[in-house]
């Protein structure tokens, strides 16, 4: 059962200049930790998943004093895949870090048991405790028992039972980016055949562009892969389309930021959501990252 939940992250948890912030993402398998960790990575957190407890202080020290420039925002994923002694030791490790001046934010992602069972039934993933020859329901119950020391000290418990990946990603983006650095800009690719994203502020249709899908050599790749990028880079009409969209956004996005918007989603769709839309999203994100922070990407059909 899920209890004591609050799906609002602290407003402005990463706002103190110069402070080192460590976000510890933990929770039930299938609760959304991977999605949350990717969202934080897009926000330029230094992210490591499945981190042993005894190595976390070393990680914080190394990353915050890195020779290539200090990083002040770090996120680690900790869950039942860790050794059980790690889970028991984690409260002590985090307490020592807090005493040393690190701002620790322990976030526990949870879902109802019936939702977790349904999520596992829809994928080929095996529960991390399946190797112990437990049924799925018994694995979930045992996982709750093992994670009890962490949920009891969590800064926030987020119930993801009714959240899809887009909503969860937005929750983290707005909680950890907008409060400190102005408007967060999310570029999202999607397939028209699966419908428009419900949270889009602007939608651009790329189906009029040459489609790499019809080239058998390119079909297995996505718009993030070099063969597809080179193909689309060589199409003059793609260059014109990109330039027009970038110019339009350069002109009008500042107006929305002037209205104190914390979040703007720009969605680009094509037929399958794998080639043209993905390519354009990545290219636009690179363009806007040159002049601003908090630019996120999300590829709905690749997740």
């Amino acid at each position: 059962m899920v209890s004591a939940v609050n799906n609002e992250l602290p407003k402005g948890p990463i706002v103190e200049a110069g402070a080192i912030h460590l976000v510890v993402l933990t929770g039930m398998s299938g609760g959304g930790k991977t999605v949350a960790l990717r969202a934080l990575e897009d926000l330029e957190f230094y992210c490591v998943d499945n981190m042993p407890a005894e190595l976390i202080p070393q990680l914080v020290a190394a990353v915050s004093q890195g020779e290539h420039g200090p990083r002040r925002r770090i996120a680690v994923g900790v869950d039942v895949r860790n050794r059980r002694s790690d889970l028991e030791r984690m409260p002590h490790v985090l307490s020592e870090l807090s005493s040393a001046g690190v701002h620790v934010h322990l976030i526990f992602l949870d879902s109802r048991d019936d939702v977790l069972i349904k999520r596992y039934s829809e994928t080929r993933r095996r529960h991390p405790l399946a190797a112990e020859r437990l049924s799925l329901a018994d694995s979930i119950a045992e996982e709750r028992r093992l994670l009890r020391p962490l949920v009891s000290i969590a800064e926030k418990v987020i119930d993801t039972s009714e959240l899809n990946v887009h909503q969860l990603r937005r929750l983290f983006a707005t909680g950890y980016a907008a409060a400190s650095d102005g408007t967060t800009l999310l570029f999202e690719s999607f397939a028209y055949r699966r419908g428009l994203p419900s949270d889009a502020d602007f939608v651009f249709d790329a189906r009029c562009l040459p489609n790499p899908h019809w080239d058998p050599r390119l079909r297995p790749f996505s718009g993030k892969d070099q063969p597809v990028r080179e193909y689309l880079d060589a199409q003059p009409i793609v260059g014109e389309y990109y330039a027009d969209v970038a110019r339009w956004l350069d002109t009008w996005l500042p107006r929305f930021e002037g209205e104190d918007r914390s979040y703007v989603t720009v969605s680009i769709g094509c037929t399958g959501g794998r080639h043209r839309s993905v390519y354009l999203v990545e290219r636009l994100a690179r363009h806007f990252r040159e002049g601003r922070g908090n630019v996120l990407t999300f590829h709905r059909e690749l997740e």
Side-chain angles (χ1 to χ4, degrees), residues 126-284:
R126 299 182 65 194
H127 191 280
L129 299 181
E132 300 185 11
R133 298 186 177 182
L134 298 173
S135 69
L136 180 54
D138 288 343
S139 296
I140 291 172
E142 177 64 5
E143 186 177 22
R144 290 197 185 283
R145 187 187 71 78
L146 293 172
L147 294 177
R148 200 171 296 153
L150 298 184
V151 72
S152 65
I153 61 170
E155 178 178 298
K156 289 289 175 185
V157 178
I158 299 175
D159 182 1
T160 67
S161 301
E162 305 300 329
L163 299 178
N164 60 37
V165 294
H166 316 287
Q167 293 166 327
L168 180 57
R169 195 180 181 88
R170 169 170 287 206
L171 179 68
F172 272 81
T174 54
Y176 284 102
S180 59
D181 296 311
T183 303
T184 297
L185 181 59
L186 172 64
F187 289 99
E188 177 179 9
S189 66
F190 70 96
Y192 269 93
R193 65 188 180 192
R194 294 189 59 200
L196 296 174
S198 60
D199 53 358
D201 294 299
F202 303 105
V203 177
F204 295 92
D205 187 347
R207 288 177 293 180
C208 59
L209 302 178
N211 190 353
H213 173 81
W214 300 115
D215 186 333
R217 297 169 304 166
L218 301 178
R219 192 172 301 161
F221 297 108
S222 80
K224 299 174 73 173
D225 296 316
Q226 185 173 353
V228 173
R229 296 202 312 270
E230 290 179 347
Y231 170 85
L232 292 171
D233 282 343
Q235 307 295 324
I237 192 173
V238 175
E240 292 177 26
Y241 187 98
Y242 161 77
D244 283 345
V245 173
R247 188 181 308 114
W248 191 90
L249 291 173
D250 279 334
T251 300
W252 291 104
L253 279 178
R255 297 294 187 96
F256 286 87
E257 292 172 320
E259 294 178 355
D260 202 25
R261 291 281 297 270
S262 61
Y263 211 101
V264 174
T265 299
V266 178
S267 298
I268 300 178
C270 62
T271 308
R274 290 185 50 82
H275 297 111
R276 294 164 291 184
S277 59
V278 172
Y279 164 87
L280 287 166
V281 158
E282 291 294 322
R283 190 170 174 182
L284 286 165

Side-chain angles (χ1 to χ4, degrees), residues 6-248:
N6 184 339
N7 279 358
E8 291 186 3
L9 289 168
K11 291 299 183 185
I14 312 293
V15 296
E16 186 174 333
I20 300 171
H21 291 269
L22 172 67
V23 176
V24 180
L25 285 174
T26 186
M28 299 299 292
S29 303
K33 292 188 300 297
T34 300
V35 172
L37 205 60
R38 287 179 182 171
L40 293 177
E41 192 169 23
D42 284 342
L43 293 169
E44 300 184 351
F45 277 73
Y46 189 97
C47 296
V48 180
D49 195 13
N50 200 18
M51 190 73 189
E54 66 266 27
L55 296 182
I56 292 178
Q58 298 175 41
L59 173 74
V60 171
V63 172
S64 61
Q65 302 169 12
E67 60 181 23
H68 300 295
R71 300 279 293 271
R72 298 293 182 181
R73 308 207 295 186
I74 303 164
V76 297
V78 175
D79 56 37
V80 77
R81 293 172 298 169
N82 288 68
R83 294 175 301 181
R84 297 185 181 185
S85 58
D86 274 346
L87 301 178
E88 295 169 355
R89 180 171 165 70
M90 190 65 68
H92 178 69
V93 170
L94 300 183
S95 175
E96 286 188 337
L97 285 168
S98 294
S99 298
V102 177
H103 294 222
V104 177
H105 312 274
L106 178 60
I107 308 298
F108 192 99
L109 300 179
D110 204 351
S111 288
R112 299 192 311 270
D113 287 3
D114 63 304
V115 173
L116 294 174
I117 290 172
K118 183 172 185 294
R119 288 174 181 170
Y120 269 99
S121 69
E122 293 174 344
T123 71
R124 293 183 177 181
R125 288 180 54 210
R126 299 182 65 194
H127 191 280
L129 299 181
E132 300 185 11
R133 298 186 177 182
L134 298 173
S135 69
L136 180 54
D138 288 343
S139 296
I140 291 172
E142 177 64 5
E143 186 177 22
R144 290 197 185 283
R145 187 187 71 78
L146 293 172
L147 294 177
R148 200 171 296 153
L150 298 184
V151 72
S152 65
I153 61 170
E155 178 178 298
K156 289 289 175 185
V157 178
I158 299 175
D159 182 1
T160 67
S161 301
E162 305 300 329
L163 299 178
N164 60 37
V165 294
H166 316 287
Q167 293 166 327
L168 180 57
R169 195 180 181 88
R170 169 170 287 206
L171 179 68
F172 272 81
T174 54
Y176 284 102
S180 59
D181 296 311
T183 303
T184 297
L185 181 59
L186 172 64
F187 289 99
E188 177 179 9
S189 66
F190 70 96
Y192 269 93
R193 65 188 180 192
R194 294 189 59 200
L196 296 174
S198 60
D199 53 358
D201 294 299
F202 303 105
V203 177
F204 295 92
D205 187 347
R207 288 177 293 180
C208 59
L209 302 178
N211 190 353
H213 173 81
W214 300 115
D215 186 333
R217 297 169 304 166
L218 301 178
R219 192 172 301 161
F221 297 108
S222 80
K224 299 174 73 173
D225 296 316
Q226 185 173 353
V228 173
R229 296 202 312 270
E230 290 179 347
Y231 170 85
L232 292 171
D233 282 343
Q235 307 295 324
I237 192 173
V238 175
E240 292 177 26
Y241 187 98
Y242 161 77
D244 283 345
V245 173
R247 188 181 308 114
W248 191 90

